[in-house]
Amino acid sequence: MKFEELIVLLPCHSLEDFPVHQEGAQADSLLAAWSALWHPALLTAAGKLPTWHRADGPPSDLANRLVVIPPASETLLLAGWVNRAEAEGATVVRKFETREQILSAALAEPEGAAPPVDADLAADFLALGLCFLLVELLTRQMRYMSNVDEIHLRNETVAAARAAVEGDTATARDRLHRCFDVLTEARERFYPVEAYLVDLTLTAPTTLGAGLRRELADTTPKNLLISAGTLELMAQREPESLAALRQALEGGHVCLVGGERDEADLPLMPVEAVLGELRRGAETYRNLLGVAPLVFGRRRFGLTPFLPLVLSRLGFQGALHLALDDGHFPKSGQSKTRWEGLDSSAIDALGRLPLDANAPESILRLPRKMGESMDLDHVATVVFAHWPGQSNVYYHDLRRMARYAPALGKFVTLTEYFSGTSRPGELTRFKADQYRTAFLKQDAAGQRADPISRHARQHRLRVRAEAEQTLATLVELIGGTLPAGRADLTTQIVARHSDDRPDDTPDEDLAGRIESQVRTAAAAFATALSPKRGDIGYLVANPQSFPRRVGVDVSDLPLLPAIEGPVVAAEESGDVKRAVVEVPAMGFVWVGPAAERAKPVKLRSKPPNTLANEFLEVVVHATTGGIRSLRDPAQRGNRLSQQLALRLPGPRPKPGDLYRDPDEEAIYSVMAADSIEVTASGAALGEIVSRGRLLDRQGKRLAGYVQTVRLWSGSRVALVDIELDIDCQPAADPWASYYASRFAWGDEDAELWRSVSQTSQLTDARRLEAPHFVEIRAGKSRTAILTGGLPYHRRVGARMLDSLLVVNGETARRFKMAVGIDLAHPMQHAISLLDPPTVVPAVPRPASGASAAWLFQVDAKNVVATHWEAIRDGQRVAGFRVRLLECEGRGGLVRLRALRALESARQVDFRGEPLVDLPVEGEQATIDMAACEWVEVEARWRT
């Protein structure tokens, strides 16, 4: 086999206009046509490097030439040229798209079969040819002229090819090293520092077998993105893969990327649930592999601006600031960024979207992508992602190149990348509105049950489980005794944020268990406070770190309690007695009967369909049954109105029609009341129940409703309970068709603030995710919609908000919300809505004789405690641990006062590692908190 020249015809005039835009088979054929000619047998036969010509200007000398024509060049050929070339003695290889096909045809030259060459060594030559092309394209992308010493490269390449053909593998590889060094030197002329390639290997329950084991056996540095839940499945189904992963981790060529057990809905979860999910994942990784990931990442969208704080305090070294499915997140101008969270905590992050390693166009465009990164990034980086065993042959060429020299970049693990590259010079901080999930749309498309109410249930479960944990901690701290068999149910709640698993406890059963443990813990708390006999009353416990005004049923008292001290109102209606009490933070109120029957309270008359107290007036609309007005009795003007409605999408625009806002085209139902009844109007509680229908414009019933509005004495919050009886299901698109509670306000210039990871953030978004509250700020007035765990809201126009209740696939029909005015600290009220009063009946007066007391105080009202637990030295309670969250973006000194003197206090990270000692004076520790910061404090008693 002998050729005078190896030629490829390309559809371009020069390498400056090389068609890097080609995709799929066309891209494959271009790369194949170029690189196939670098087979050692062909190089030996020609004795020179391959060359290229324009497809529309082919060479005139054709005898003994091997000419490869990729399909992309066929249309540019001169008519009859192929026949002339073959007639003049050229070997023409055409109409093949893959490299294997081209090589098979080229090596089967009729004058003599090609000599056998080691297949692995031959593949290195093909990688060299591809490397030469990519370096040349990268040189031009960087606006440089080619500086490759082609004579030296030709001599070394041909010598290496001859050695390969002769079976001298060592010599061939040695000379190949020199060839790759030439190309590396050429690249270093215009970019003299290291460039990086990141291999991100994805996993799923279906990709844990032989393909993954082959990936792990390849020693090219790579990064395995795997959740702890998928790792559990690997241990059960593919123990050989688990052993291979352990070996690869020990070898140091694989970096573990992950974080959670399952890729839960992190942006919609309370902060304690986020921490719990990450801790649970780390425990699973350590149990199965002996190590936990140092780099956080997930395939499903789950980014939130609160993550840098949590990840940095859990010891993560870096994070992937990207997602590989739907969801919107901000892009940084740099590949490697210093990602700053809401509280100014920061973590190194990789924010460059990966290329598909299984797509040939990804390799074809590598010079452009790398060139852009070299121009813009302080750390030039290109990321590739693929499933195990699903990467194209040219990506394997890229790996082969990197084993010889980093001509196009060095493959690295992410731990090496984050630790070995320079840190960005500036922090990158993104607004909360720049993150938007696709969870609702995905849940609806995947027909997942309860795409809305499951989030509300989880928030209620979490708050109640933390309340039980706090009550149990208080019992321990005051020397009480908890019954045996108490379980930590918060870990089971975390599991419910992820997809259902066979070992999960249904929400209803879990709620029952939590309420049972709450009652048990509250009873133990009451026993520890009231060990002796005495007057019998009700103990109202407050496990929250802020005072609460709550209404309680005290019907078992022989007489109403006296309105004094913590009791601010009381009433008796038939057999029902109610009281409104002010419960101190982390404390209790004991409510007993008055010494004598109280005189009847003369109530101020109210207009029809109106609830009112000293802070708030609510008027129910006589026609619709919704809230006509919500206002401050001391001021004029309506703050908020509310109705229930079904939204249906408007008619589809016809082709060529002008664009119209979908909100303008949407069709809303009409709310019609059948009855409005005042069911309570006493000194403690007012209640109005509306019953009616939602109708279409023709009067057809779409749904029935019952809406109950309650207002307790002294409260700035009106509670709204909604029950729907649905006849017409919403359409498939959950953001375009839904049942909602619609709110409207008067000021078009009002600002909207929403809860993000339990902090308050300004929002301009049209689609809001706010599980706790949405606040309307207009001038000095503040009106809050407490969402009760309902996460999805849509702003319509400048003065309306739809809080989504039911979409297609939702089974819940009862919902709890609230509205309030001038709430200084809306997060406190949002938590209170999720945490009903904890009341223990038949409790003797506390031994101290006090009817109300606190055990802990947090002096900053913008700070809430999210978790409490006792610290034990053996059997002795030595102190406590608490996590505090600043909710309103106002940092400062926070004073934590305990029920007894403190010996010491320190701030620790979420692994328990000390960060800073805190000043202590008597019972008080002082913490310097940043805006939106979440801290963990350990304090020990003075002995």
Side-chain angles (χ1 to χ4, degrees):
M1 184 174 64
K2 184 69 175 176
F3 293 115
E4 292 291 329
E5 196 173 6
L6 307 174
I7 301 170
V8 58
L9 299 184
L10 297 178
C12 57
H13 294 84
S14 68
L15 290 183
E16 277 79 3
D17 66 334
F18 191 90
V20 294
H21 62 277
Q22 299 285 5
E23 297 182 352
Q26 294 281 57
D28 193 345
S29 66
L30 281 172
L31 296 173
W34 180 285
S35 60
L37 294 180
W38 289 69
H39 190 280
L42 298 177
L43 293 171
T44 301
K48 61 178 70 173
L49 296 181
T51 187
W52 71 275
H53 288 269
R54 292 164 46 179
D56 59 356
S60 56
D61 295 331
L62 295 171
N64 298 320
R65 266 69 175 176
L66 173 62
V67 182
V68 177
I69 306 172
S73 299
E74 290 281 349
T75 58
L76 300 177
L77 290 175
L78 300 174
W81 182 87
V82 172
N83 292 332
R84 179 169 67 87
E86 291 176 341
E88 293 182 9
T91 300
V92 179
V93 178
R94 58 189 295 230
K95 296 185 178 179
F96 294 121
E97 294 181 348
T98 68
R99 191 159 67 186
E100 291 75 11
Q101 293 171 334
I102 294 172
L103 280 173
S104 178
L107 294 175
E109 202 272 330
E111 294 185 7
V117 180
D118 178 77
D120 188 64
L121 182 58
D124 290 346
F125 279 87
L126 303 179
L128 175 63
L130 181 60
C131 186
F132 176 70
L133 171 65
L134 297 178
V135 168
E136 289 291 273
L137 293 177
L138 177 59
T139 302
R140 287 156 178 80
Q141 173 71 28
M142 296 298 291
R143 302 166 298 280
Y144 276 76
M145 298 292 291
S146 175
N147 52 42
V148 174
D149 185 346
E150 294 197 24
I151 295 176
H152 178 53
L153 180 63
R154 179 197 64 196
N155 293 339
E156 291 295 335
T157 302
V158 172
R162 287 171 179 161
V165 170
E166 294 168 1
D168 187 353
T169 302
T171 299
R173 292 194 186 280
D174 181 60
R175 289 188 175 273
L176 277 174
H177 268 290
R178 300 178 194 177
C179 296
F180 280 105
D181 287 342
V182 170
L183 298 177
T184 302
E185 183 180 349
R187 189 267 297 166
E188 289 177 344
R189 291 288 180 90
F190 57 81
Y191 195 78
V193 295
E194 201 75 79
Y196 296 94
L197 301 171
V198 177
D199 178 303
L200 191 62
T201 304
L202 313 177
T203 58
T206 56
T207 65
L208 304 178
L212 178 58
R213 291 193 287 274
R214 286 191 294 272
E215 287 284 348
L216 296 173
D218 180 5
T219 57
T220 303
K222 59 181 61 67
N223 306 276
L224 188 70
L225 179 58
I226 184 168
S227 69
T230 304
L231 190 66
E232 284 182 333
L233 295 176
M234 179 192 290
Q236 297 166 12
R237 302 174 184 174
E238 299 285 350
E240 293 180 11
S241 297
L242 184 65
L245 177 55
R246 289 197 192 104
Q247 185 176 357
L249 291 171
E250 291 171 0
H253 62 272
V254 168
C255 168
L256 199 62
V257 182
E260 310 145 78
R261 179 181 183 238
D262 301 288
E263 294 187 343
D265 299 344
L266 292 186
L268 305 183
M269 293 162 59
V271 293
E272 283 293 339
V274 173
L275 177 60
E277 182 70 10
L278 289 166
R279 282 179 166 173
R280 191 169 63 118
E283 181 181 3
T284 301
Y285 288 114
R286 291 192 185 99
N287 289 340
L288 295 175
L289 297 173
V291 295
L294 293 177
V295 177
F296 172 82
R298 45 187 281 158
R299 181 165 52 89
R300 185 172 178 243
F301 180 85
L303 298 174
T304 160
F306 199 73
L307 271 178
L309 182 154
V310 183
L311 297 177
S312 61
R313 297 191 183 181
L314 281 172
F316 281 89
Q317 183 181 4
L320 296 182
H321 189 262
L322 54 89
L324 302 178
D325 72 346
D326 292 337
H328 184 272
F329 59 94
K331 313 297 191 299
S332 170
Q334 295 283 318
S335 291
K336 182 181 179 182
T337 64
R338 187 73 177 159
W339 181 22
E340 185 180 12
L342 294 176
D343 73 322
S344 300
S345 293
I347 188 170
D348 286 347
L350 177 61
R352 189 67 68 196
L353 281 172
L355 303 175
D356 182 359
N358 199 35
E361 57 264 27
S362 296
I363 306 302
L364 192 59
R365 294 170 186 167
L366 175 60
R368 190 183 71 189
K369 294 292 185 181
M370 183 61 79
E372 291 172 352
S373 185
M374 288 176 172
D375 274 337
L376 301 175
D377 291 338
H378 72 285
V379 180
T381 310
V382 174
V383 185
F384 289 92
H386 62 96
W387 298 102
Q390 296 186 26
S391 51
N392 67 65
V393 64
Y394 312 108
Y395 184 69
H396 289 284
D397 287 351
L398 198 61
R399 287 178 171 178
R400 288 178 179 275
M401 300 172 203
R403 291 178 196 144
Y404 281 95
L408 290 161
K410 174 185 177 183
F411 276 98
V412 290
T413 63
L414 284 170
T415 49
E416 181 183 358
Y417 179 77
F418 286 124
S419 63
T421 57
S422 59
R423 176 167 289 184
E426 62 182 28
L427 298 173
T428 303
R429 185 167 188 169
F430 302 110
K431 296 180 180 179
D433 275 358
Q434 292 177 276
Y435 298 87
R436 187 171 65 249
T437 77
F439 298 154
L440 180 59
K441 188 174 181 179
Q442 290 172 340
D443 288 348
Q447 298 183 335
R448 185 175 184 181
D450 296 339
I452 294 178
S453 65
R454 65 184 176 88
H455 297 289
R457 289 197 300 270
Q458 297 304 307
H459 278 273
R460 289 196 298 270
L461 291 174
R462 165 60 60 179
V463 167
R464 290 302 279 168
E466 287 294 345
E468 189 275 339
Q469 168 67 29
T470 301
L471 288 170
T473 299
L474 292 178
V475 171
E476 292 183 89
L477 296 180
I478 63 177
T481 303
L482 290 169
R486 176 183 171 271
D488 180 5
L489 297 177
T490 58
T491 57
Q492 298 183 37
I493 298 171
V494 172
R496 299 299 298 163
H497 282 282
S498 56
D499 287 334
D500 293 339
R501 286 173 170 265
D503 58 340
D504 283 342
T505 305
D507 283 344
E508 295 78 8
D509 296 345
L510 192 54
R513 292 172 59 188
I514 290 173
E515 290 305 319
S516 175
Q517 286 198 182
V518 167
R519 289 192 296 270
T520 301
F525 181 53
T527 300
L529 291 171
S530 309
K532 299 180 180 179
R533 295 181 178 274
D535 296 337
I536 299 299
Y538 287 82
L539 186 84
V540 184
N542 181 12
Q544 303 300 334
S545 59
F546 47 85
R548 299 172 62 187
R549 179 170 289 189
V550 298
V552 294
D553 187 316
V554 292
S555 297
D556 288 344
L557 293 180
L559 297 174
L560 282 176
I563 301 176
E564 59 186 16
V567 180
V568 297
E571 69 173 31
E572 184 172 3
S573 176
D575 296 333
V576 178
K577 299 184 183 71
R578 301 185 184 96
V580 178
V581 295
E582 190 82 38
V583 194
M586 294 293 290
F588 68 88
V589 163
W590 183 83
V591 183
E596 58 184 20
R597 185 175 296 276
K599 296 180 180 179
V601 177
K602 185 176 182 180
L603 301 176
R604 180 170 60 91
S605 61
K606 305 181 186 70
N609 302 335
T610 301
L611 303 176
N613 61 21
E614 58 269 45
F615 299 118
L616 183 61
E617 181 180 276
V618 184
V619 179
V620 175
H621 200 291
T623 303
T624 67
I627 296 176
R628 178 178 177 177
S629 65
L630 181 80
R631 69 182 190 90
D632 181 347
Q635 298 179 356
R636 298 183 64 182
N638 179 23
R639 294 283 193 90
L640 195 71
S641 300
Q642 178 265 352
Q643 288 189 16
L644 301 175
L646 167 63
R647 171 182 168 131
L648 293 171
R652 283 181 171 272
K654 297 178 181 178
D657 285 356
L658 293 176
Y659 171 81
R660 294 182 64 87
D661 188 336
D663 288 340
E664 296 179 2
E665 298 294 301
I667 301 169
Y668 284 91
S669 63
V670 176
M671 187 179 184
D674 294 327
S675 68
I676 300 174
E677 180 183 4
V678 178
T679 53
S681 58
L685 174 67
E687 180 180 273
I688 296 178
V689 179
S690 305
R691 292 178 170 83
R693 296 155 292 148
L694 304 183
L695 308 173
D696 66 14
R697 300 295 175 175
Q698 288 72 44
K700 179 184 176 182
R701 173 182 149 129
L702 303 173
Y705 74 85
V706 178
Q707 178 165 292
T708 303
V709 181
R710 297 185 184 89
L711 181 62
W712 289 94
S713 176
S715 176
R716 292 183 178 274
V717 174
L719 306 175
V720 182
D721 289 355
I722 300 166
E723 184 174 358
L724 296 174
D725 178 20
I726 291 175
D727 298 334
C728 176
Q729 290 294 328
D733 184 349
W735 281 108
S737 180
Y738 47 74
Y739 285 91
S741 180
R742 305 200 74 202
F743 299 94
W745 56 94
D747 190 344
E748 292 187 354
D749 297 325
E751 292 182 340
L752 258 61
W753 292 69
R754 65 182 175 107
S755 61
V756 177
S757 298
Q758 295 177 246
T759 68
S760 183
Q761 302 293 323
L762 179 66
T763 179
D764 294 317
R766 309 304 296 179
R767 297 180 182 181
L768 283 64
E769 292 159 345
H772 287 95
F773 65 83
V774 176
E775 189 178 29
I776 305 152
R777 298 185 185 180
K780 295 182 179 180
S781 70
R782 300 171 62 174
T783 307
I785 302 168
L786 307 179
T787 59
L790 298 170
Y792 302 117
H793 315 272
R794 177 168 183 156
R795 190 169 184 176
V796 180
R799 299 186 301 105
M800 286 183 284
L801 182 79
D802 292 353
S803 290
L804 277 63
L805 304 176
V806 176
V807 296
N808 196 280
E810 178 61 59
T811 63
R813 296 295 183 263
R814 302 190 67 175
F815 310 92
K816 292 182 180 294
M817 305 183 72
V819 290
I821 63 171
D822 299 331
L823 306 182
H825 309 289
M827 181 52 64
Q828 294 182 3
H829 294 275
I831 293 172
S832 294
L833 179 63
L834 296 165
D835 183 27
T838 301
V839 183
V840 185
V843 177
R845 181 183 292 274
S848 64
S851 59
W854 57 264
L855 283 78
F856 291 90
Q857 279 187 337
V858 179
D859 73 337
K861 303 305 180 185
N862 56 314
V863 174
V864 299
T866 62
H867 178 80
W868 298 82
E869 61 183 270
I871 297 176
R872 287 185 172 272
D873 288 341
Q875 296 299 314
R876 183 179 66 89
V877 176
F880 63 91
R881 182 178 294 110
V882 61
R883 286 191 283 275
L884 301 171
L885 174 66
E886 198 289 311
C887 299
E888 297 170 20
R890 296 185 286 111
L893 295 179
V894 178
R895 295 167 182 84
L896 171 63
R897 191 175 178 189
L899 70 163
R900 53 184 289 192
L902 300 175
E903 177 69 30
S904 64
R906 64 179 185 174
Q907 185 180 335
V908 300
D909 66 16
F910 295 152
R911 299 170 296 169
E913 298 295 325
L915 295 176
V916 62
D917 290 331
L918 301 176
V920 169
E921 184 177 353
E923 301 93 2
Q924 181 175 284
T926 302
I927 310 107
D928 189 359
M929 292 186 68
C932 300
E933 187 177 11
W934 192 28
V935 303
E936 184 164 325
V937 174
E938 290 181 353
R940 291 183 173 268
W941 304 134
R942 182 180 299 169
T943 56

